[in-house]
Amino acid sequence: MTRFDVAVIGAGAAGLFCAGVAGRRGARVVLIDHAERLAEKIRISGGGRCNFTNVDGARDDRYLGEQPRFARHALRAFGPDRFITLVREHGITYHEKHRGQLFCDHSSAAIISMLVDGCERGGVAWRRPCTPRALRREADGFVLATDAGELAASHVVIATGGLSIPKIGATDLGYRLARQFGLAVVEPRPALVPLTFDAAVWQPFAALSGLSVPCQVRVAAEPAGASGSADRGDPARPEKAPAFDEDLLFTHRGLSGPAALQISSYWRPGQALSIDLAAGEDLEAALIAAREGSRQRLDVALATLMPRRLAETWLTQWLAGSDRGAMAARRIAEIGSADLRRLAQALSAWRVEPDGTEGWRKAEVTAGGVATSELDPRTMQATRAPGLYFIGEVVDVTGWLGGYNFQWAW
């Protein structure tokens, strides 16, 4: 039976990088992965150009989990500047897009090649495609049984990722191994994922599918007196979740685009969202200004401040069943300031309650995972299972959209 210093299970972003670094530091490393294609999640990321980090990737407030600041030790030790230096050294050209996101100029294959090169230079042994079957502890380390036979290792690193995008081979192996060794696992859930609504409720807005608008979105504040089901430290609580200024995409089933994906990581079933369709602008002042000397109807005037289809649909739904039903057809000059104020307030805090998400097949990442309370934040070693490490997406650390999850992997 072949013995290694380190066995890394999972050849995604975290596993490839870890294996290469360990090998180049002199460890005898084996990298095991069950997939036919290597690093498929890197390959498809960023529309095929890999949003490999973010210039703000070291900010621990851009990550969530049961212990949100757990990530700060790793991020301080290896921030985005160090990965950017590595990218430059390999001659990979890149560009910065929206909000500090860094993308390859060409193909994400360049990042995969860089990681594979690091493994080759570190003399990493490959076992792929090779499915791990069981892991057991022995006196001097671990024995890993695979469909290609057994191997021994003094240290084992679990970098198996999460459950998102099952069609490229996602499995729950990492969680099963954690539980086998008595470690707690925070229930995994889809994150950075489109949100869905009850079909009857959403029907008026389904016709807007494909429309994208800038907005500000947050988890709605709980009604006065509501206790909620989350603990005071849970990032799902409205007072803990940030507001996101991003584009919102209407779909035939609900909401997508960066705004919906970002807030999905904080949203929990039963919670409502508050969406500012004015994107932070003073809509009341804009409506009152539009009223001066105008002969336009209210619906026409509103369509000058946002896409016409959205203005018409939203206004129809807001007026339905109210005593203001005829307001849309009135000239804006005939509408009082109090009514315009109510309209502006409603548009700036549109309250909607999703009934779910598009699930694992559309989720970009997995939230939840191996509890960070079980891991040493400086080494990622399981405190109750010396020699066993968990890194990357399998851990209960989830980054914002925009390169943060890759930075966590590195």
Side-chain angles (χ1 to χ4, degrees), residues 40-52 95 97 101-108 364 401-403 406:
E40 189 67 1
K41 199 166 186 181
I42 298 177
R43 191 179 308 280
I44 66 175
S45 68
R49 293 196 175 187
C50 189
N51 178 194
F52 57 83
H95 57 279
K97 292 180 70 173
Q101 301 169 14
L102 301 185
F103 288 78
C104 297
D105 283 347
H106 303 292
S107 170
S108 56
E364 295 198 10
L401 183 73
F406 273 128

Side-chain angles (χ1 to χ4, degrees), residues 15-25 29 115 118-122 124:
L16 276 168
F17 194 48
C18 173
V21 170
R24 294 194 304 277
R25 289 182 177 179
V29 181
L115 298 173
C119 289
E120 296 294 345
R121 287 189 291 112
V124 173

Side-chain angles (χ1 to χ4, degrees), residues 127-247:
R127 299 287 188 276
R128 54 172 297 271
C130 177
T131 302
R133 299 297 183 189
L135 180 67
R136 67 179 187 271
R137 182 183 289 283
E138 292 201 341
D140 54 352
F142 300 86
V143 172
L144 176 65
T146 76
D147 57 6
E150 291 189 340
L151 57 88
S154 302
H155 306 273
V156 174
V157 179
I158 309 298
T160 49
L163 299 176
S164 54
I165 322 181
K167 69 179 182 180
I168 63 172
T171 77
D172 66 347
L173 175 62
Y175 310 133
R176 287 188 279 118
L177 290 174
R179 292 185 176 112
Q180 174 190 329
F181 285 89
L183 308 182
V185 174
V186 177
E187 187 63 30
R189 64 186 187 282
L192 299 183
V193 62
L195 298 166
T196 60
F197 293 79
D198 175 87
V201 172
W202 196 247
Q203 187 275 328
F205 298 97
L208 300 176
S209 180
L211 178 67
S212 179
V213 294
C215 77
Q216 183 181 91
V217 60
R218 66 178 71 238
V219 177
E222 295 177 3
S227 60
S229 59
D231 178 80
R232 297 298 295 183
D234 190 325
R237 290 191 65 84
E239 69 270 24
K240 297 291 185 179
F244 291 100
D245 295 284
E246 296 278 8
D247 287 346

Side-chain angles (χ1 to χ4, degrees), residues 261-337:
L261 299 189
Q262 292 280 39
I263 205 64
S264 72
S265 296
Y266 293 87
W267 174 81
R268 299 288 190 279
Q271 291 181 323
L273 302 178
S274 179
I275 301 173
D276 180 358
L277 292 171
E281 296 296 322
D282 188 342
L283 191 58
E284 180 183 348
L287 286 170
I288 291 175
R291 184 178 60 181
E292 301 303 318
S294 175
R295 299 179 59 82
Q296 291 180 323
R297 297 187 325 181
L298 174 61
D299 55 354
V300 176
L302 190 59
T304 65
L305 302 174
M306 62 182 58
R308 178 184 57 80
R309 289 194 297 149
L310 175 60
E312 292 174 350
T313 303
W314 188 93
L315 191 58
T316 298
Q317 297 307 304
W318 184 64
L319 294 173
S322 74
D323 58 3
R324 304 182 298 271
M327 186 187 294
R330 293 170 60 191
R331 292 177 181 174
I332 190 172
E334 301 171 352
I335 299 173
S337 296

